[in-house]
Amino acid sequence: MKCLPILIFSAFLHCMPAGLTAQSPALQNSRYVAGIKKDTVEVVSGSTYAFTADTPEDSGLVATTPSVAAFLADIRQQSYQYTLHSVKGRSLIATGDRLTERCTNGQLRTYYIACVRKALGGQLAAAQKSITVNTITDLTLYFTAGQRSPDATIRIELPSGIQASMEQTTVNIIGRGDVLLKDLEHQSVGRTGAGYPFSKTGVVQILENGRLLLFKHLDLRPSNGPDLKIVLRKVQCTQTGTCIFKARYTTRLPAVLTSADASTSVTVTRTIGDLKRIPAAGLAYHTIPALYTSTVLQWSRSQIPGALIQQSLDSGKTWQPAKATLLLNKGEARLTRLQPNRLYWFRLWVPRGPHKGVSNSVAFYSGAIDVRDWGITGNGLEDNTEQINEAIRYIHGLGGGTLRFSSGTYQVRTVHLLSHVWLYIDKDATIKALKGGDAPEATWYSDKQYRSGLSPTDPGPYENPQNWLTKQDVGHTFFRNAMFHGERADNIKIIGNGYITGNGNLVTSDKVMNNEPDNRSDKMFSLKLCTRVEIGGLHRNEDLWYDSIKDAPYYILPDQKKDFDTGNMLRIDRAGHFVLLATGTDNIHVHDTYFAKEHTSNARDIYDFMSCNNVTVMNIYSKVSSDDIVKPGSDCSLGFTRPAKNYRVRNIIGDTNCNLFQIGSETADDIADICVDNIYVLGANKAGFSISTNDGGHIRNIHLNCGHTGSLHHRSKMLRTYTPFFISISNRGRVLGATAKRFRFREQGVWRDELLVTNVDIGRVENILLNGVDIAEVYNGSSFGKSGTRWMPYDGTQRAATPIIAGYQLPEADQVEGGLPFRLPNGMHTGYIRNIAFNDIQVSVKGGHPASDTTACPPELGVGQYNASNLKVQPSWGLWVRHAQNLTVKNSRFYTEKPDGRYVLYLDDVQHAQLIRIQTPDGTRQRLGYRKVEGLTIE
């Protein structure tokens, strides 16, 4: 008989009374052990879908039977050593194998292995380890299924004395957001194509007098951290002891399998058992002494007469009274003027009453912990990933704090961001990316049907309507392949005036998944479903602006003088596809960052916000990048869509091969309430300011230079843009459940052969106000990819387009071969851009087009055509508008450097337009052209 490799674990000097039993702590959330019966260990054996980046499209169905190494790691326990003897000499567990358990005192026990058809074990955890008897508190549970499945069922059992209710218990399913149980069936599943099978997030029943929660019809194919977050509000336990919670789940596909019970416990104590420290937070980091020498403690309100806070500076060996302000009626204590750079432990001491005694203890380090304390030299020669992640875990275990990167160079693959841990990068500190970052996560579906781009005839995104991986570019689809990664983390900051570089090891290509496994990291910061995030330099209250003579940013001082000292800024270079990809992440503040100061290569998007809410962006300078600088959008990468709203963006300066500011192109859900002030476009080979809805999303309430984010210290400026404004609609329809069919149809006398989305409504754009902008040098003049001269002057060969407003219209049925055999869900055939106003816009273009271009008729923006360049030549040079309602242009001036034979303005299918106080060059013959215009007012 051949023995397989043995995994030996460290042990205590003596054994506990029992090894492997159903009550063993190691087995309460075991992934592979389905049960223990006398001398037999039942091991999970089933199947699931799990695709990696390298899995062939037809090979995602995999067995869940564990390997020997995985099984031994799963059952590890202190004081015990396990050896597995395989009957067949295989690397996978099999029925008939024998497991030997050896205690450190020499005691032996043998178990037999029996493989049973079960789902992989889930993980159940309680946020609180203990609570106080006869107090009212909220209790939070997290459950994660061991494997993915659509239409899954989860059963949560509560202990005696704790009950759930429809009115006070909330649930968050796969990160969709907290909702009361009574409202679960009405929670939005996001935007989907007509006929998508999941019309509800799930349904819930409360049984057995509130002690059993039964969740049904859950789509657990997406994996976004905990599958269920359950908050039991106003829990009050009347007896001390241990409360046991249990959970199990049942899959639907690829087979019906039920897991063993996972369990967790909460101890109910007579003494105060829920003392906690409230970590520091705040929108902007400020280096003030009180940040590290003061803290707040909280506990459930209770009768604790004469209570006081005790502190220990020797890890709990001795305790002394602490100077604290106690607010007993609020269950809160405030501590100030602590000694700096000391590890404190605090506890509550109650001298009398029902909670007499000492509470649990909590930790606080009164300073920033230096990363060098983990044995890192900062010499720039070593891989520091493991030590840095160990430091982050330690600080997270303390309840939060700051990890300081002091002077030196630190190399990392993937840094794992955790809640309440801040990273501070000193001025002389550098963090560099190495190759070999974390692998992209395994998924239920394969992404190989669609890995880059989208053409009008590419059926990949629509072949499996439920595959969310094919609904956006591959860079948006995976999250873990990043230099810094956080998932479901709260209160994280990356701040300082140091330097972070991808060092040429972060990838920019859409074909990143075709690379070797050690070369698939394409993001600097990747944040998924996080909250309260800050990234930036040392905060300044002054506004950032740009000096064209010095080609440098500066801060505007109160006396209007220019401060060119940008030493406070966080410097970032070579960030790969994204500096920041934030998806489903709320309450974000990014500021005072300088991009491409040292290197201008290997950078695409700067700030991408997908399905994010409450975002502030200010004081950003990008010397040059190859893609958008600030980009709000909404995609399907979470396995569902999520709307985005409430953005405040100001003082954005930069040069880009794409757009400086763009809403889109990922627009699977609604995007609203965005205010942008003081932008300075140095160059943009697409648009200076772009709004596109391509996937059915409703975009509304977008204001440029209206003063909603603060003072308008300057008019916004746009130089060297292919087009200053590009506001458009197409019907790409990349949402869950979308279907498309290829059609041949005639448009403007030209035959087109391409896909049309058949079950997703055309998106809407409305309530757009553009104010106070100076535009000149309209041509694609970005310095991206140029060497030598910063910007090449216009020589007549560079491409240029008119400021554009372009809605979208499906082809008429009589122009389609075989007719148009579908009707969109809302019956709308045309997507109009509504309620758009230009006020005080000054436009200077190059001119030079012949009068024959007045007959140009740009094509409709079909599937995969969402760029201004897809519209070819426009029949006007000042503004071209098609498919719009309620258009206003007033107090604006349009002029050319050379005479241009086209119209100044052209309106095509426009309803209700006002042209008020518009200046054009003297002697202009072709001021206004129009077709299908109703309700035109000219002053």
Side-chain angles (χ1 to χ4, degrees), residues 677-916:
D677 290 329
N678 305 131
I679 64 172
Y680 202 130
V681 185
L682 305 177
N685 284 346
K686 288 188 179 179
F689 192 85
S690 176
I691 302 172
S692 297
T693 182
N694 310 295
D695 307 300
H698 181 190
I699 299 176
R700 63 189 184 276
N701 306 336
I702 315 299
H703 292 180
L704 173 62
N705 241 46
C706 297
H708 297 315
T709 71
S711 65
L712 292 176
H713 52 77
H714 284 82
R715 296 169 62 82
S716 283
K717 297 182 182 294
M718 297 189 189
L719 303 175
R720 309 176 193 92
T721 62
Y722 174 69
T723 176
F725 300 108
F726 180 57
I727 302 170
S728 67
I729 299 175
S730 72
N731 201 31
R732 179 178 58 186
R734 287 196 297 185
V735 298
L736 288 168
T739 58
K741 185 178 178 182
R742 194 164 176 175
F743 292 90
R744 190 167 185 267
F745 56 92
R746 188 189 300 270
E747 181 186 296
Q748 306 295 337
V750 177
W751 284 100
R752 297 176 66 168
D753 182 1
E754 59 192 56
L755 295 166
L756 295 177
V757 176
T758 61
N759 68 336
V760 176
D761 290 331
I762 299 169
R764 291 183 288 166
V765 177
E766 61 184 357
N767 304 338
I768 312 298
L769 178 56
L770 310 173
N771 180 71
V773 184
D774 294 333
I775 297 165
E777 302 294 319
V778 180
Y779 67 96
N780 64 324
S782 167
S783 64
F784 176 77
K786 305 294 193 300
S787 60
T789 306
R790 176 78 154 113
W791 290 288
M792 300 296 295
Y794 182 72
D795 62 11
T797 63
Q798 296 98 327
R799 299 178 303 117
T802 304
I804 291 168
I805 302 172
Y808 172 76
Q809 184 179 74
L810 283 168
E812 299 295 342
D814 61 2
Q815 298 296 303
V816 181
E817 282 189 353
L820 202 62
F822 66 89
R823 182 180 177 86
L824 296 183
N826 65 5
M828 299 298 293
H829 192 80
T830 303
Y832 286 95
I833 296 174
R834 297 181 171 90
N835 306 330
I836 181 167
F838 290 80
N839 179 58
D840 190 14
I841 307 297
Q842 313 297 316
V843 181
S844 171
V845 302
K846 293 298 180 180
H849 281 252
S852 58
D853 282 346
T854 58
T855 62
C857 189
E860 298 285 348
L861 292 169
V863 167
Q865 300 171 332
Y866 49 87
N867 295 311
S869 58
N870 296 124
L871 293 169
K872 312 299 181 184
V873 176
Q874 294 80 53
S876 55
W877 55 263
L879 180 65
W880 178 72
V881 184
R882 181 171 65 191
H883 306 317
Q885 296 175 335
N886 301 325
L887 167 72
T888 300
V889 183
K890 64 180 182 180
N891 303 324
S892 297
R893 182 183 178 190
F894 300 86
Y895 52 101
T896 63
E897 295 181 20
K898 292 182 178 180
D900 196 296
R902 296 174 295 171
Y903 298 103
V904 180
L905 289 84
Y906 193 92
L907 310 182
D908 184 354
D909 185 20
V910 175
Q911 302 168 13
H912 306 292
Q914 297 183 81
L915 308 178
I916 303 170

Side-chain angles (χ1 to χ4, degrees), residues 428-440:
D428 296 323
T430 296
I431 304 178
K432 289 184 176 182
L434 294 169
K435 283 189 177 182
D438 285 359

Side-chain angles (χ1 to χ4, degrees), residues 149-459:
S149 176
D151 199 15
T153 299
I154 298 178
R155 175 189 176 98
I156 307 289
E157 297 180 22
L158 308 179
S160 177
I162 296 179
Q163 295 177 318
S165 73
M166 288 289 190
E167 292 75 24
Q168 291 188 337
T169 302
T170 65
V171 65
N172 183 334
I173 297 175
I174 64 169
R176 292 179 181 271
D178 296 325
V179 63
L180 287 170
L181 295 186
K182 69 182 182 66
D183 298 325
L184 177 59
E185 292 191 46
H186 308 291
Q187 185 181 30
S188 171
V189 297
R191 189 180 297 278
T192 64
Y196 187 68
F198 283 88
S199 59
K200 297 179 180 180
T201 299
V203 297
V204 61
Q205 293 176 280
I206 299 180
L207 306 172
E208 298 183 8
N209 297 319
R211 291 182 53 200
L212 175 62
L213 287 168
L214 194 62
F215 295 93
K216 296 182 178 180
H217 308 302
L218 307 181
D219 186 3
L220 299 187
R221 289 173 295 184
S223 179
N224 298 323
D227 293 323
L228 294 189
K229 172 193 170 188
I230 300 170
V231 181
L232 302 159
R233 302 197 183 279
K234 298 184 178 180
V235 170
Q236 184 174 18
C237 292
T238 59
Q239 294 182 343
T240 59
T242 301
C243 295
I244 304 296
F245 300 81
K246 295 182 179 181
R248 63 177 179 267
Y249 71 101
T250 300
T251 64
R252 188 71 174 174
L253 290 175
V256 177
L257 300 169
T258 299
S259 72
D261 283 344
S263 64
T264 192
S265 62
V266 175
T267 303
V268 184
T269 62
R270 178 184 55 79
T271 56
I272 301 299
D274 56 359
L275 181 69
K276 62 182 178 181
R277 180 171 65 83
I278 305 303
L283 183 66
Y285 178 93
H286 293 283
T287 308
I288 56 176
L291 176 65
Y292 293 118
T293 58
S294 62
T295 192
V296 176
L297 308 179
Q298 285 184 350
W299 60 92
S300 295
R301 284 179 288 180
S302 52
Q303 296 296 320
I304 49 173
L308 58 82
I309 299 295
Q310 295 181 330
Q311 69 181 40
S312 173
L313 289 171
D314 55 11
S315 300
K317 295 178 182 177
T318 60
W319 295 86
Q320 296 82 33
K323 293 181 180 180
T325 301
L326 273 76
L327 305 172
L328 296 181
N329 61 331
K330 295 178 63 175
E332 183 174 294
R334 298 179 179 273
L335 298 102
T336 58
R337 299 183 180 180
L338 300 171
Q339 298 178 45
N341 302 315
R342 300 294 300 272
L343 178 60
Y344 281 85
W345 286 89
F346 297 109
R347 69 186 187 186
L348 191 65
W349 179 68
V350 182
R352 60 186 180 275
H355 303 299
K356 178 180 178 181
V358 294
S359 72
N360 61 299
S361 56
V362 295
F364 175 61
Y365 186 80
S366 57
I369 298 176
D370 199 303
V371 71
R372 290 176 177 265
D373 292 343
W374 266 259
I376 299 173
T377 63
N379 61 15
L381 302 175
E382 302 158 346
D383 180 354
N384 305 130
T385 306
E386 294 306 321
Q387 297 104 312
I388 291 171
N389 283 328
E390 181 185 355
I392 290 173
R393 288 192 297 269
Y394 173 79
I395 295 172
H396 175 70
L398 292 179
T402 301
L403 180 63
R404 177 189 175 197
F405 290 81
S406 55
S407 178
T409 299
Y410 308 92
Q411 299 194 119
V412 300
R413 288 172 284 109
T414 297
V415 174
H416 300 148
L417 305 173
L418 298 176
S419 294
H420 309 302
V421 180
W422 302 353
L423 308 185
Y424 185 96
I425 300 110
D426 277 359
K427 184 175 183 177
D428 296 323
T430 296
I431 304 178
K432 289 184 176 182
L434 294 169
K435 283 189 177 182
D438 285 359
E441 50 268 53
T443 56
W444 176 268
Y445 287 112
S446 170
D447 73 304
K448 289 188 175 181
Q449 288 175 313
Y450 172 53
R451 278 200 168 173
S452 69
L454 182 67
S455 75
T457 57
D458 178 11

